[in-house]
Amino acid sequence: MTGPPMLAVTGSTGHLGGLVARQLADAGSPQRLLVRDPSRAPELEGGVPVVVTYADQVLAKAALEGVKTLFMVSAAEAEDRLQQHYTFVDAAAAAGVQHIVYTSFFGAAANCTFTLGRDHFATEEHIRASGMDFTFLRDNFYLDFLPLLAGADGVIRGPAGDGAMAAVARADIARSAVTVLRDPALHIGRTYDLTGPEDISLATAADLLTAGTGRTITFHNETLEEAYASRASYGAPPWQVDAWVSTYTAVAAGELAGPTSAVHELTGREPLGLAQFLAGAHTI
């Protein structure tokens, strides 16, 4: 390597970014690992850790100097997350980044039911206005989260009704992202709706989780009032509770339904369904 890598990856200390970084390393792609704490950066062949925070434009600009392609995993949920995104995108533009690959959300829109989906849409619009090339990966709900939705009593609670979602495995998102990052010029201006192979309701998910885990899981369709009341004990701020509840109401509204062919188009492989995921078919 004659200089710093021209591909930068954020989120490598987390689940999705870590999968992407490891697959890029396995493919022999040098990368700059943008992390808040370099001691937590994965030790990867060709991986160069660089300190960055989304909210510090000066630090971010310095970390992104010389980068051509940036994989931007959305920041951790926070009240000021959108402002963090704006600051980081502005830093990328100022540093001369040519192409951002951003992890957005399925159905992101200014008025979508899922409150955080609105932030994703606003981030997309800011990236579009920046003048940089872009690719948006609009991820559906993670299959990986479904087993975690049930409480200690085995009940999934939420106002999702009979609505369905085309939930997708993180592994499939990571494989899709790596395809884009290895030849980004082929994907300029594209938006990919990344989904699993099927629509599933939470009642169906509960049945599959019961069959796949050996734990008895059921779904209780809460009213809105019940949903807010059952989450009040966590002491979370109102914006966070709204995000939690609107995850379910977005499902009820049908805004997360509709499997696409995007994962197969990008990876040449069919995406995992929940039964396959639970059976351990989610190896990379």
Side-chain angles (χ1 to χ4, degrees):
M1 191 187 309
T2 58
M6 293 185 291
L7 167 63
V9 172
T10 69
S12 64
T13 59
H15 292 290
L16 178 60
L19 285 173
V20 170
R22 286 192 290 276
Q23 289 183 52
L24 287 169
D26 290 345
S29 299
Q31 57 190 304
R32 201 176 305 187
L33 303 174
L34 303 184
V35 295
R36 285 174 294 182
D37 181 357
S39 69
R40 295 182 57 220
E43 295 184 9
L44 300 174
E45 184 71 28
V48 180
V50 179
V51 175
V52 70
T53 63
Y54 282 8
D56 187 330
Q57 187 166 351
V58 174
L59 184 63
K61 180 177 180 294
L64 290 165
E65 292 289 346
V67 167
K68 288 188 175 180
T69 303
L70 169 63
F71 180 58
M72 180 181 172
V73 177
S74 55
E77 294 179 6
E79 191 166 16
D80 68 340
R81 177 165 75 163
L82 184 56
Q83 187 55 55
Q84 291 184 45
H85 284 180
Y86 284 176
T87 298
F88 190 60
V89 169
D90 291 345
V97 171
Q98 296 175 12
H99 190 153
I100 290 186
V101 179
Y102 173 65
T103 61
S104 186
F105 192 76
F106 187 91
N111 60 348
C112 62
T113 300
F114 179 45
T115 56
L116 299 185
R118 303 168 195 171
D119 289 349
H120 283 292
F121 178 74
T123 300
E124 289 182 2
E125 292 298 286
H126 199 72
I127 292 171
R128 288 179 188 273
S130 72
M132 290 180 284
D133 292 330
F134 62 85
T135 305
F136 299 140
L137 305 179
R138 288 187 166 185
D139 309 337
N140 206 290
F141 195 86
Y142 289 168
L143 277 181
D144 313 54
F145 283 171
L146 288 175
L148 308 178
L149 293 181
D153 59 357
V155 180
I156 299 172
R157 293 179 171 84
D162 296 325
M165 67 182 89
V168 62
R170 277 200 194 103
D172 285 319
I173 298 168
R175 282 189 281 263
S176 299
V178 168
T179 297
V180 173
L181 293 168
R182 294 198 69 196
D183 201 348
L186 295 178
H187 308 279
I188 291 173
R190 296 290 303 272
T191 297
Y192 294 103
D193 292 323
L194 301 180
T195 74
E198 60 201 352
D199 279 333
I200 54 173
S201 67
L202 285 180
T204 298
D207 290 342
L208 290 170
L209 287 167
T210 297
T213 67
R215 182 184 178 203
T216 300
I217 306 295
T218 59
F219 169 60
H220 171 63
N221 182 38
E222 291 181 309
T223 65
L224 272 178
E225 293 73 17
E226 287 174 331
Y228 277 97
S230 66
R231 289 154 179 79
S233 63
Y234 295 106
W239 70 265
Q240 181 73 76
V241 178
D242 287 340
W244 290 339
V245 173
S246 66
T247 304
Y248 295 91
T249 54
V251 173
E255 294 178 16
L256 299 187
T260 74
S261 61
V263 169
H264 184 270
E265 177 185 343
L266 287 168
T267 69
R269 296 170 57 171
E270 290 300 320
L272 297 169
L274 180 56
Q276 290 174 291
F277 177 84
L278 293 172
H282 54 288
T283 53
I284 299 301

